Amino acid sequence: MPELPEVEVVRRSIDVPLRGARVLALRLGKPLRWPLGCAPADLAGRVGGPGQRRGKYLWMPLAADGREPGGLLWHLGMSGSLALLGAGPAPPGPHDHLDLVTDRGTLRLHDPRRFGAVVFSRGLDVAPAAALLARLGPEPFDPALTPLALHAALRRRRAAVKSVLLAGDVVVGAGNIYACEALFAAGIHPALRADRISRPRAARLLAALRATLGRALELGGSTLRDFSDAHGAAGAYQAQAAVYGRAGQPCLRCGAAVRRIVQGQRSTFFCPACQKR
DNA sequence: CGGGACGCCTGTGAGC
DNA sequence: TGCTCACAGGCGTCCC
């Protein structure tokens, strides 16, 4: 579920409420992808700082006077979502695997598939956080990621451009929905080898990726099943998807039937007429 | 080293 | 109705 826009939506929805919030307790449910990496009690008394996002990871600094610095690195995996609950929250359900109880409310992680994770790290640039972020490419909105820089990075990759976007080492943020949508917007066939993309087309791809992610962010992300921000607000981008999940339906631009293929074990949707090799 | 498959989990919807 | 199968927003790890 959560690709860059959804994670950023979540970050914004918890940043103000949790900045300055004091941790009272942390309750764990079923195991997530990785262990927390510290004793839950070690977090009590720490105070939330400004949240950051890197790729699809969220970083929540938790400071404490006289103690080592640290914070929590969150990843929502495929089915994770966060909810900020008021005083006296409902008891956790079977898929609520972590409650961060603070004096400003309880931040609850809901994640049926448990591909998500919450990991304590003393900082972003030290283990374990650093290892998890090590292979991430540049942020899509980083001004240093110029059309030329993207083109140069794509030229080093022989895999299909769709797979390269998903891999996240050339540029982070696009998951299956937005990779498909950005390629449609750029008029690029998803199976085209990345190293065969011309400079002008790389420029179009970068612009399309930014426009797609930016639009999704404005609309609160995509809610396919049950994604919402920490206040329960659903996203609206999914209704605007031009190709994702629309196999067999007419392309919104040319009317040709949208196709579904499989690349790297993932579904890819595209318009065979609008997207050229 | 790059690229692709696998595995981690649970839920849902389609088809028989 | 009930079963089985394919598939679902991600990504670290393993093998070729």
Side-chain angles (χ1 to χ4, degrees):
Chain A
M1 142 194 48
E3 305 181 34
L4 183 147
E6 290 76 25
V7 176
E8 179 62 19
V9 161
V10 168
R11 187 195 70 78
R12 292 178 185 181
S13 69
I14 64 172
D15 190 41
V16 169
L18 291 185
R19 208 181 280 213
R22 180 173 301 272
V23 176
L24 303 175
L26 185 143
R27 182 203 65 84
L28 290 171
K30 286 189 192 170
L32 294 162
R33 181 165 193 176
W34 300 302
L36 180 64
C38 74
D42 291 351
L43 296 175
R46 290 178 178 266
V47 174
Q52 300 173 52
R53 180 192 53 73
R54 177 75 178 96
K56 299 171 193 171
Y57 287 89
L58 271 181
W59 172 246
M60 180 189 299
L62 291 172
D65 289 341
R67 283 198 267 166
E68 64 175 8
L72 292 175
L73 189 68
W74 303 66
H75 196 292
L76 300 177
M78 196 84 109
S79 58
S81 59
L82 292 178
L84 192 53
L85 308 170
H95 298 311
D96 297 327
H97 306 303
L98 186 147
D99 274 358
L100 185 68
V101 184
T102 81
D103 59 359
R104 305 251 187 93
T106 294
L107 186 64
R108 174 168 292 175
L109 175 68
H110 178 84
D111 186 0
R113 294 179 73 178
R114 290 191 281 134
F115 290 171
V118 183
V119 174
F120 178 82
S121 187
R122 280 178 298 166
L124 267 182
D125 51 356
V126 298
L132 294 170
L133 306 180
R135 288 194 225 104
L136 298 186
E139 289 288 325
F141 291 102
D142 184 346
L145 181 63
T146 62
L148 230 59
L150 178 63
H151 181 246
L154 291 173
R155 274 182 55 187
R156 286 179 226 116
R157 305 293 298 274
R158 304 168 141 205
V161 59
K162 157 73 173 353
S163 300
V164 171
L165 287 179
L166 279 193
D169 48 356
V170 164
V171 54
V172 297
N176 213 26
I177 297 177
Y178 302 118
C180 291
E181 294 299 312
L183 287 168
F184 172 79
I188 296 173
H189 194 292
L192 178 63
R193 276 172 48 158
D195 61 353
R196 300 253 173 92
I197 293 178
S198 67
R199 238 156 65 175
R201 297 189 92 195
R204 287 188 65 193
L205 177 56
L206 182 57
L209 181 63
R210 287 174 170 165
T212 301
L213 295 175
R215 181 73 182 132
L217 195 48
E218 287 173 6
L219 292 177
S222 295
T223 296
L224 296 190
R225 175 149 304 162
D226 59 358
F227 170 77
S228 69
D229 72 11
H231 308 299
Y237 183 88
Q238 71 285 352
Q240 302 212 340
V243 287
Y244 184 83
R246 297 192 63 246
Q249 298 175 50
C251 169
L252 301 177
R253 251 184 72 215
C254 78
V258 170
R259 285 197 57 200
R260 172 184 177 272
I261 58 174
V262 175
Q263 296 180 286
Q265 324 286 89
R266 311 291 303 279
S267 289
T268 297
F269 300 90
F270 70 104
C271 171
C274 294
Q275 295 174 250
K276 316 278 192 213
R277 281 186 185 267

